[in-house]
Amino acid sequence: MAELGSHHLATRTLPLAGHHGGSSVVRLEAAPPAARLSLRARAEDVAALSASLGISLPVKPKTSVCVNGRTALWLGPDEWLVIDEDHGGLLQAATDSGVLHSATDVSHRNTAILVSGPGAAAAINGGCPQDLSLAVFPVGACSRTLFGKVEIVLLRTAEDAFRVEVWRSFSDYAFGLLAAGAQDAALSA
Amino acid sequence: MSSSSNIGAFRIKGAGRHTPARTARFTFDGKTYTALEGDTVASALLAHGVHLVGRSFKYHRPRGILSAGPEEPNALLDVSWDSARRQPNVRATVQEVFDGVKIASQNRWPSLKHDIGAFNDMLSPFFAAGFYYKTFMWPKEAWAKIYEPFIRRAAGLGEAPKEEDPDHYANRFAHCDVLIAGAGVAGLTTALSAAATGATVILVDEQPEVGGALHHDAATTIDGQNGYDWAQDAAARLKAMPNVTLLTRTTVFGYYNHGFLGLVERVTDHLARPGRNLPRERLWQVRAKRVVIATGAIERHMVFSNNDRPGIMLASAARSFLNHHGVALGRNVGVYTAHDSAYEAAFDLKRAGVSIAAIVDNRTDPGEAVLAEARALGIDVLTGHSVTDTSGRLRVASMTVVRNGGANARKIKIDALIMSAGWTPSVHLFSQSRGKLRFDEANQRFLPHIYTQNCVSVGGCNGTDDIADLVGEAIAAGGGSIAVTAENRFEWTGGMIGAAEGAGPDTAVKAFVDFQHDVTAKDIRLAVREGMHSIEHIKRFTTNGMASDQGKLSNMHGLAIAAEVLDRPIPQVGLTTFRAPYTPVTYGALVAHSRGELFDPARKTPMHALEAQAGAEFEDVGNWKRAWYFPRRGEDMHAAVNRECRTVRDVGGVFDASTLGKIEVVGPDAAQFLNLLYTNAWDTLKPGKSRYGIMTREDGFIYDDGVVGRLAEDRFHVTTTTGGAPRVLHHMEDYLQTEFPHLKVWLTSTTEQWAVIAVQGPKAREIIQPFVEGLDISNEAFPHMSVAECSVMGVPARLFRMSFTGELGFEVNVPADYGPDVWKAIWERAQGIGACLYGTETMHVLRAEKGYIIVGQDTDGTVTPDDAGLSWAVSKKKTDFVGIRGLKRPDLVRDGRKQLVGLMTRDPTLVLEEGAQIVADPNQPKPMTMLGHVTSAYWSENCGRSIAFALVAGGRARMGETLYVPMKETTIAVEVTDLVFFDKEGGRIHG
Amino acid sequence: MLLIHCPYCEEDRSELEFRWGGEAHIARPENIAAISDEEFTEFFFLRNNEKGLTYERWRHIHGCGRFFNAARDTVSDKFLLTYKADLPKQPIAAVEEALAAAQDKVVETWEQTEGDAR
């Protein structure tokens, strides 16, 4: 038995493995695993961190920057969520900046649901109180907000596509409410 | 029967807007009728000459259909869509007929025509206003046995369904530049105007089609078209615009703060076979930059004796039934009015072939044009006359007419009576928006005056009667430059509020003000005589306007009668406040998606599925589902927990601790920050070590606790209680952001980043040893309260040496996605060694055996660290921490405070009840002096007896004392002990 | 449902995203361990709960996470101003003027003219 531990590498079980759904106007799918960093820093250290991470951290509220599969989302005046779909060494890059900051790995805390299709905004508005019109929530806009009874981070990746970041234990609920919203989006104006 | 009589003997050929070929069959009280598609239940019943549809609330008087819209107070019916779907109190004037719908009358027994409750009508002198307040006063004992059951049986209309609602409901948040409530001429014109500017518009109307008053008013011409046709064209144009959302069958039920409005869209109530996925209703939560209220006006009834018989109806309603539904309400109709609008109803009926017995006009000076038209049509008009009474048991049969001031009454035979006392502007939404009304003395009505939100009222609800003015107002409100021309045939004059002649003051006269609550003019007068001088008091004493129609018809009349008796001008008597919802809203709509699986998030740990596979029973801890215990075949909870408790102490156990709150505290000032937030000192904690910490609030009471590990100089891994995680983070952020913003430290929730597998028991090290890489976990290298980053099964892990059982213990933290695989491997090995899986119940027992408290169970927000026996965890050296001053408050340092102690029952097999009270002398007289209460109590298999914690006044000074726990049947003697019941020396934890 | 302007997100957001945080501009005494019972009572327990203009704390808890301050009229529920947490109490010109005007017209009470206060 003892050798089993040293030779057997743990495998991942994704919280939304196998989840997919939607309606005639909305497609719902679980996003592939990604590396995520909760990054906190003062304004004077943003430049150094940006250089080190290879992505210029947005300083304007509700905006994101996406470069080569790495996305930095403004969540607050000293807070970013950095998502790397190719698992790049985010923590190390932040450390290498040499400036004061807090970087915490939250890769497994969050999971993401991709919502796309002409009814995507309506489906999300089934539980999210924000104005998702393109004028107010354009492509690239992002925000922490509420979705029904859970908190999410919402990112608009295209005119009719969103990424919904949610804590893993809330993901079942979020997916269920999105499915209800997707169904209703297909049935109403 | 001919095909035309199939759809009702009172259908008027060529009248109405429904297609004769499209029929629907429905039943009313078991009898089958045929309706036309587009009929309401009301119009379909009237088409068959059915006027009697219900019994009134208090007196059980026969009642008919009073209106043709949502203001209906009388015709409340029980509607069954199918065998599983039924709803009471549905307004017959709103519910559309569809094939197969079953309708039943309410508030009658054994039948609508013979109702025993009508006895109340004869007893009515005893049921006057304030009856309940005066009668059900004494004796006190009669309340529970007599009065309450009586009131409960009598209270409420209809019968609520007992089955679960099989429908689902949807919710939508929406935003717009302009929301327009009401799609009559004013609303449609505003929408066209606003849409032309490019604004995003949501236009809402409660009826199935737009048009509003054009449903009944067939004499308005707009842009050269018949008004109703123009409205449908306008709706089609609006629907085609991308910036317009048109919602019909949708009610704006509430206008709240800052441009927030609640709408409910009825999606399937009118459908015989709704699509499977369709929600029954959709709640719209709209945030509008600007609101245009175009809700029109509601016609009032005349207040006179016996004005409530079936067959008596608002004039505009009769006109709607005729012009929209093609149904005449009778063959020989009387008219009683104080306003010109009823004349137009009479004209329409007359032209449709209905005989008009007479127009009785309370005024002496009706409009000249309507008088001339009446004359031309050969209708008898009696100006300066009143209807003082009616007859007819189940339907009106005659009206008694008297010249005002005269004595000679004469009875005129009729089979229906229409009435109009004028129009009340629908200022409900304006009033809900906190707008202030003014009284328009000339027209005896309240109108919007001072706006507090970005909204504007147009048309009838703004008192704008002239249609050309109305259109101009609407165009201006929309902000666009469009042209619409509209004209009416007649200009209306007149209107009255209050009781007409013949409504009293004779106390035997029943002149109804509020039909739904059976409030008469004399009830209002009585209320004033009894000393109610404020309209708010009069309303509550009489219940005028308190029914589900919220007094849409009755408020103005009630106010005028009160003002008359009080001899005060109407504005001084005041108007009661209009509150949301405008019309009743189903709970289903308000709940929307939040039911079943979506009622509340069910949070599951990464290992949940594996625990379920292993047979776990789960318990709810906040939103979390936690494995409670793992019964084996044949085991009940007690047996399973006993086995788990034994096995953990004898061999080992594996426990899912993932739900514990985790906060990463990072930054050069992290230790300083924790020094301020916890009672303990953290700067002395070395990296690689952890410590149990207590957090107090500023008032000195325990707020949370948990183990905090220092991973590096500038990085702490803080754990909180499962339920406390969000509020502890909020509390920390509060102090960090607003009191200590100079500190260079950040907080990140990592609760869900880590799957936490606790392995406890003498064999714990043996169990995890093979999986841990890059760390010596021997007792010497990794003693109790150590923490380290290492690798477990090839993934980066954080390993804590800690224990909530008093045994040798480790907590393995791995990134959550790896949790199931690591759990599987650890459990496989643990099982081989003879360990068990254990759940929260065993965890609770084991920690209690060791005297470890649970914040929130053994503390309740009034317990200090010292009360809980934890003063060792409060730093004496620190000059500041949250709670430092609160702990010194006189009441927190006095003698005799309740302190947490152990209790052992004299009979070791008795397990105390948590929450049970404790006394020193069980024989003292009641009320006894209570010393405290039991906070935790378990059977301890390892101790072979029951154990308990209790908060007891002066508890630590009572060691060895015998106290008593009086229960319902028996009194239990207990001995006060310290908190540690097992392994008092504490050696096992270092094993 | 209120619409609240978050001074950090620079946008109006639904009240759903916020949490109320009690009266604003009550600083925790720096020497808290040394203050008297009376001073602690004043600091911790007593709040003005004023009708009308109120300064209060809010947190954009389901947004940027920041605490900020707001001047709100509790009668109309109107927000007169929201501002960042590190700013001092912001005067509301119009309201101050109205209050000053009201003070000029203070009704003469017995307390003021005849009683001990004189």
Side-chain angles (χ1 to χ4, degrees):
Chain A
M1 282 303 245
E3 69 281 7
L4 185 144
S6 50
H7 292 107
H8 175 61
L9 293 183
T11 56
R12 293 181 79 157
T13 307
L14 299 176
L16 287 174
H19 278 59
H20 58 86
S23 67
S24 59
V25 295
V26 183
R27 181 182 160 91
L28 299 177
E29 53 197 321
R36 298 176 179 88
L37 201 64
S38 169
L39 184 65
R40 309 293 298 271
R42 301 173 302 179
E44 57 262 44
D45 298 317
V46 166
L49 281 160
S50 295
S52 194
L53 285 160
I55 185 165
S56 100
L57 296 170
V59 292
K60 195 169 167 256
K62 226 174 103 173
T63 61
S64 68
V65 172
C66 180
V67 181
N68 298 332
R70 182 172 285 191
T71 310
L73 295 81
W74 186 98
L75 293 188
D78 67 347
E79 181 177 5
W80 295 266
L81 176 64
V82 186
I83 304 171
D84 194 307
E85 290 168 71
D86 303 323
H87 304 244
L90 292 172
L91 258 176
Q92 191 57 48
T95 306
D96 292 346
S97 72
V99 293
L100 178 63
H101 70 279
S102 155
T104 303
D105 182 7
V106 292
S107 305
H108 293 238
R109 180 188 75 177
N110 292 13
T111 189
I113 304 165
L114 306 178
V115 187
S116 58
I124 294 165
N125 272 144
C128 174
Q130 286 209 23
D131 185 348
L132 301 182
S133 64
L134 277 164
V136 177
F137 208 98
V139 176
C142 65
S143 174
R144 189 154 45 199
T145 182
L146 271 186
F147 183 58
K149 296 183 180 179
V150 302
E151 188 177 280
I152 59 168
V153 171
L154 185 64
L155 167 68
R156 187 172 217 143
T157 53
E159 284 203 4
D160 61 356
F162 295 84
R163 180 184 182 94
V164 174
E165 286 272 326
V166 61
W167 288 9
R168 59 184 301 125
S169 74
F170 293 124
S171 61
D172 253 345
Y173 171 90
F175 197 95
L177 188 55
L178 278 168
Q183 178 182 295
D184 194 52
L187 298 168
S188 70
Chain B
M1 273 194 197
S2 72
S3 67
S4 66
S5 63
N6 269 340
I7 57 168
F10 288 84
R11 293 274 175 196
I12 304 292
K13 210 170 174 171
R17 302 182 179 114
H18 308 327
T19 312
R22 297 170 70 170
T23 59
R25 284 162 69 82
F26 71 101
T27 66
F28 174 63
D29 280 348
K31 194 174 169 201
T32 302
Y33 297 94
T34 304
L36 293 183
E37 274 184 26
D39 266 332
T40 60
V41 171
S43 69
L45 287 171
L46 290 171
H48 293 276
V50 178
H51 280 260
L52 171 66
V53 295
R55 290 277 176 169
S56 73
F57 177 56
K58 196 156 79 173
Y59 303 132
H60 288 248
R61 286 168 67 99
R63 286 285 166 81
I65 293 155
L66 188 66
S67 75
E71 67 270 31
E72 178 61 33
N74 268 348
L76 303 178
L77 301 174
D78 191 282
V79 175
S80 298
W81 282 262
D82 53 39
S83 58
R85 292 166 168 80
R86 185 175 71 78
Q87 186 177 311
N89 295 326
V90 176
R91 288 154 295 164
T93 52
V94 171
Q95 175 64 45
E96 295 166 64
V97 166
F98 57 83
D99 211 40
V101 65
K102 289 189 175 66
I103 316 284
S105 55
Q106 304 181 149
N107 208 29
R108 83 294 190 263
W109 188 83
S111 78
L112 188 52
K113 287 184 180 166
H114 304 279
D115 172 28
I116 289 193
F119 192 55
N120 283 1
D121 198 16
M122 283 184 270
L123 294 176
S124 63
F126 304 101
F127 283 95
F131 165 71
Y132 286 89
Y133 302 123
K134 292 176 195 157
T135 309
F136 298 118
M137 297 269 288
W138 50 264
K140 200 176 148 201
E141 295 71 34
W143 253 106
K145 292 206 168 89
I146 303 167
Y147 297 153
E148 196 180 317
F150 174 81
I151 294 172
R152 280 187 187 282
R153 196 152 32 85
L157 271 172
E159 192 194 333
K162 292 181 180 64
E163 305 76 28
E164 192 185 341
D165 185 347
D167 283 309
H168 75 279
Y169 299 78
N171 174 65
R172 187 74 62 84
F173 288 95
H175 296 75
C176 64
D177 294 324
V178 190
L179 180 132
I180 302 161
V185 180
L188 285 165
T189 306
T190 307
L192 289 167
S193 169
T197 68
T200 52
V201 175
I202 298 179
L203 174 62
V204 189
D205 197 278
E206 58 195 347
Q207 299 208 56
E209 316 88 8
V210 300
L214 299 167
H215 280 82
H216 63 79
D217 174 7
T220 294
T221 308
I222 305 174
D223 288 346
Q225 254 180 309
N226 166 279
Y228 184 85
D229 296 338
W230 172 87
Q232 308 315 309
D233 282 358
R237 275 185 281 153
L238 287 164
K239 265 189 205 165
M241 298 183 193
N243 54 331
V244 177
T245 305
L246 172 58
L247 299 170
T248 52
R249 293 191 180 90
T250 305
T251 305
V252 181
F253 65 79
Y255 187 166
Y256 306 93
N257 266 317
H258 303 180
F260 184 76
L261 299 106
L263 283 54
V264 67
E265 180 184 4
R266 290 169 293 279
V267 181
T268 63
D269 273 2
H270 63 292
L271 299 175
R273 278 166 291 277
R276 199 172 54 87
N277 291 332
L278 281 175
R280 180 181 171 213
E281 292 178 330
R282 185 177 289 116
L283 178 71
W284 289 81
Q285 304 191 54
V286 179
R287 186 75 69 172
K289 293 202 178 80
R290 208 155 69 83
V291 174
V292 179
I293 303 172
T295 46
I298 293 173
E299 197 171 24
R300 290 185 301 275
H301 61 287
M302 295 292 288
V303 178
F304 60 101
S305 178
N306 291 314
N307 59 344
D308 66 328
R309 294 189 198 280
I312 303 179
M313 183 182 289
L314 297 174
S316 61
R319 222 176 159 204
S320 267
F321 291 124
L322 178 68
N323 293 332
H324 190 72
H325 299 288
V327 172
L329 79 165
R331 311 244 187 255
N332 179 34
V333 176
V335 181
Y336 183 28
T337 189
H339 192 264
D340 290 353
S341 62
Y343 284 75
E344 283 206 72
F347 304 158
D348 289 354
L349 287 164
K350 179 80 178 178
R351 287 202 188 85
V354 176
S355 151
I356 302 297
I359 296 178
V360 181
D361 198 322
N362 192 263
R363 305 166 296 168
T364 51
D365 57 345
E368 304 234 335
V370 292
L371 267 183
E373 179 79 1
R375 242 176 270 131
L377 286 167
I379 300 173
D380 198 7
V381 179
L382 302 168
T383 56
H385 279 65
S386 293
V387 175
T388 56
D389 203 355
T390 63
S391 73
R393 193 173 82 86
L394 299 178
R395 169 141 180 203
V396 66
S398 76
M399 58 179 179
T400 304
V401 179
V402 185
R403 176 182 295 279
N404 287 348
N408 295 335
R410 62 177 167 121
K411 270 191 175 182
I412 301 176
K413 286 182 82 165
I414 49 173
D415 65 354
L417 175 60
I418 63 173
M419 56 188 168
S420 177
W423 296 77
T424 306
S426 291
V427 294
H428 308 75
L429 291 179
F430 168 79
S431 202
Q432 285 178 23
S433 81
R434 297 198 185 182
K436 296 273 178 292
L437 299 162
R438 71 179 170 87
F439 190 65
D440 170 11
E441 190 71 44
N443 294 297
Q444 299 280 288
R445 59 191 180 180
F446 283 98
L447 292 176
H449 182 40
I450 297 166
Y451 287 85
T452 62
Q453 297 206 37
N454 190 9
C455 83
V456 59
S457 299
V458 298
C461 66
N462 196 35
T464 307
D465 302 325
D466 180 84
I467 190 132
D469 292 350
L470 178 151
V471 165
E473 197 171 83
I475 292 171
S481 50
I482 59 163
V484 175
T485 55
E487 53 184 330
N488 274 337
R489 257 193 91 192
F490 299 100
E491 256 182 52
W492 292 346
T493 64
M496 70 171 296
I497 50 177
E501 293 228 356
D506 176 2
T507 49
V509 165
K510 281 206 188 72
F512 285 92
V513 174
D514 183 326
F515 289 78
Q516 197 179 138
H517 266 176
D518 273 351
V519 180
T520 63
K522 74 163 193 288
D523 289 330
I524 310 244
R525 293 189 183 110
L526 174 67
V528 175
R529 281 207 308 277
E530 298 252 350
M532 314 296 143
H533 290 180
S534 148
I535 196 67
E536 296 287 355
H537 290 151
I538 294 166
K539 168 177 170 172
R540 279 152 188 85
F541 193 74
T542 62
T543 74
N544 186 48
M546 286 172 70
S548 64
D549 64 330
Q550 288 194 42
K552 290 186 178 65
L553 299 177
S554 65
N555 280 344
M556 290 305 295
H557 284 319
L559 180 57
I561 296 166
E564 188 192 332
V565 184
L566 287 165
D567 196 20
R568 291 217 302 258
I570 282 176
Q572 277 184 30
V573 181
L575 191 63
T576 54
T577 311
F578 293 103
R579 298 189 196 282
Y582 173 68
T583 49
V585 177
T586 62
Y587 281 111
L590 297 176
V591 167
H593 299 296
S594 301
R595 51 187 297 200
E597 299 266 291
L598 298 177
F599 171 66
D600 220 14
R603 305 180 71 180
K604 293 172 183 165
T605 72
M607 285 82 82
H608 184 91
L610 294 174
E611 288 158 9
Q613 266 173 36
E617 293 289 331
F618 292 89
E619 72 165 334
D620 290 340
V621 181
N623 283 117
W624 285 104
K625 301 282 176 197
R626 297 198 72 181
W628 193 11
Y629 58 98
F630 291 83
R632 290 185 179 162
R633 190 185 300 270
E635 275 184 343
D636 62 6
M637 179 175 174
H638 190 64
V641 170
N642 286 347
R643 173 185 49 74
E644 290 173 16
C645 285
R646 268 196 322 268
T647 311
V648 174
R649 295 224 185 277
D650 292 349
V651 186
V654 179
F655 175 72
D656 182 355
S658 303
T659 62
L660 280 190
K662 296 174 261 312
I663 299 167
E664 196 100 330
V665 179
V666 181
D669 296 331
Q672 198 186 338
F673 176 68
L674 293 177
N675 267 348
L676 285 164
L677 267 289
Y678 283 82
T679 61
N680 321 57
W682 299 96
D683 40 0
T684 55
L685 185 70
K686 300 210 162 23
K689 295 293 170 199
S690 64
R691 181 174 285 167
Y692 171 75
I694 299 175
M695 181 178 275
T696 51
R697 297 182 309 209
E698 207 70 86
D699 57 12
F701 295 128
I702 294 176
Y703 189 58
D704 203 70
D705 70 349
V707 169
V708 177
R710 189 168 198 169
L711 298 166
E713 279 297 330
D714 63 349
R715 186 175 290 259
F716 288 81
H717 179 118
V718 172
T719 68
T720 73
T721 56
T722 294
R727 65 177 160 78
V728 167
L729 183 59
H730 178 65
H731 174 82
M732 285 179 156
E733 282 287 354
D734 191 345
Y735 277 97
L736 178 55
Q737 291 184 36
T738 68
E739 298 294 349
F740 316 127
H742 56 282
L743 296 181
K744 295 187 200 72
V745 57
W746 286 279
L747 314 170
T748 307
S749 172
T750 50
T751 301
E752 301 229 39
Q753 168 67 15
W754 303 103
V756 184
I757 303 162
V759 183
Q760 302 276 312
K763 305 251 184 185
R765 188 181 293 110
E766 186 182 339
I767 292 167
I768 68 160
Q769 183 76 69
F771 304 106
V772 180
E773 293 148 36
L775 183 68
D776 178 356
I777 59 167
S778 67
N779 214 17
E780 299 70 37
F782 201 66
H784 183 51
M785 299 310 268
S786 298
V787 60
E789 291 180 284
C790 61
S791 173
V792 170
M793 292 175 68
V795 301
R798 288 180 182 175
L799 188 67
F800 284 78
R801 167 93 188 265
M802 60 187 274
S803 173
F804 200 44
T805 60
E807 300 295 326
L808 166 66
F810 298 89
E811 290 195 357
V812 183
N813 289 248
V814 291
D817 284 354
Y818 295 112
D821 212 36
V822 174
W823 170 274
K824 246 190 281 185
I826 288 179
W827 169 228
E828 196 182 343
R829 178 169 165 79
Q831 210 171 5
I833 289 171
C836 68
L837 295 175
Y838 69 98
T840 50
E841 189 64 22
T842 291
M843 177 268 280
H844 277 223
V845 177
L846 296 177
R847 64 91 197 177
E849 288 172 352
K850 287 298 300 173
Y852 301 149
I853 69 159
I854 289 186
V855 170
Q857 175 161 344
D858 301 305
T859 71
D860 60 3
T862 66
V863 176
T864 67
D866 183 62
D867 296 342
L870 298 169
S871 49
W872 57 267
V874 181
S875 164
K876 312 287 183 292
K877 291 183 190 151
K878 288 199 289 187
T879 54
D880 195 5
F881 62 84
V882 174
I884 191 167
R885 180 62 187 80
L887 281 171
K888 294 180 196 155
R889 291 189 289 143
D891 193 60
L892 270 62
V893 295
R894 71 174 164 82
D895 287 338
R897 284 186 62 80
K898 287 181 185 170
Q899 293 170 327
L900 198 67
V901 292
L903 293 183
M904 287 206 286
T905 50
R906 192 172 284 167
D907 175 350
T909 64
L910 282 179
V911 179
L912 293 169
E913 259 186 46
E914 289 171 1
Q917 294 293 322
I918 298 160
V919 301
D921 172 11
N923 300 314
Q924 62 186 298
K926 291 175 191 169
M928 297 189 184
T929 303
M930 292 177 287
L931 299 176
H933 69 278
V934 178
T935 63
S936 291
Y938 308 94
W939 171 258
S940 164
E941 184 74 358
N942 289 309
C943 299
R945 60 159 301 121
S946 81
I947 58 172
F949 294 172
L951 280 165
V952 177
R956 285 201 293 272
R958 294 179 186 269
M959 291 298 147
E961 266 184 42
T962 298
L963 299 175
Y964 298 90
V965 179
M967 302 301 291
K968 208 168 181 181
E969 307 293 339
T970 178
T971 293
I972 302 169
V974 296
E975 186 190 327
V976 180
T977 70
D978 65 28
L979 289 163
V980 184
F981 298 95
F982 183 84
D983 183 27
K984 281 190 189 279
E985 302 72 35
R988 300 173 68 97
I989 207 163
H990 301 290
Chain C
M1 182 116 51
L2 305 177
L3 191 63
I4 303 173
H5 185 84
C6 172
Y8 295 95
C9 293
E10 298 165 9
E11 196 171 65
D12 292 349
R13 297 279 183 84
S14 167
E15 182 185 347
L16 291 173
E17 291 185 357
F18 297 83
R19 182 178 297 180
W20 186 73
E23 196 172 321
H25 301 297
I26 295 172
R28 185 174 183 272
E30 283 185 19
N31 61 336
I32 190 162
I35 64 175
S36 68
D37 283 340
E38 289 69 31
E39 286 165 323
F40 183 76
T41 300
E42 180 65 33
F43 155 68
F44 187 72
F45 291 111
L46 300 182
R47 293 295 179 268
N48 288 331
N49 194 24
E50 269 164 305
K51 181 180 176 182
L53 175 64
T54 312
Y55 286 85
E56 58 194 10
R57 309 184 323 142
W58 285 82
R59 185 181 178 206
H60 196 183
I61 186 164
H62 298 299
C64 65
R66 299 295 93 194
F67 279 85
F68 60 90
N69 294 322
R72 184 171 64 100
D73 181 345
T74 57
V75 176
S76 68
D77 261 345
K78 275 198 180 10
F79 282 88
L80 303 165
L81 186 69
T82 58
Y83 52 97
K84 293 182 179 178
D86 55 354
L87 291 175
K89 193 168 185 169
Q90 300 292 294
I92 308 294
V95 176
E96 309 274 307
E97 279 165 30
L99 285 176
Q103 261 164 13
D104 290 342
K105 281 181 261 167
V106 165
V107 179
E108 286 191 352
T109 63
W110 182 84
E111 290 287 341
Q112 286 166 333
T113 55
E114 302 293 328
D116 295 340
R118 196 164 67 107

